[in-house]
Amino acid sequence: MGIVDFVLIGLIVGGAFYLLYRSLWKKKGYCHGCDSAGKCK
């Protein structure tokens, strides 16, 4: 595996952690389009 592979893996894992942080911890499970729980379609 070359350096490009490790960079791509890092970007993918970093993006996944960012999405988890944004959807689970920052908004406490609400959908990313609104701030109200249970009203997302």
Side-chain angles (χ1 to χ4, degrees):
M1 290 176 57
I3 189 73
V4 175
D5 294 329
F6 287 115
V7 170
L8 287 175
I9 290 170
L11 288 173
I12 291 170
V13 170
F17 277 117
Y18 171 73
L19 289 175
L20 281 173
Y21 165 74
R22 191 179 73 175
S23 64
L24 294 179
W25 291 290
K26 188 175 179 184
K27 292 197 175 196
K28 297 176 180 51
Y30 302 153
C31 68
H32 61 274
C34 65
D35 289 329
S36 61
K39 295 186 179 187
C40 301
K41 296 179 182 177

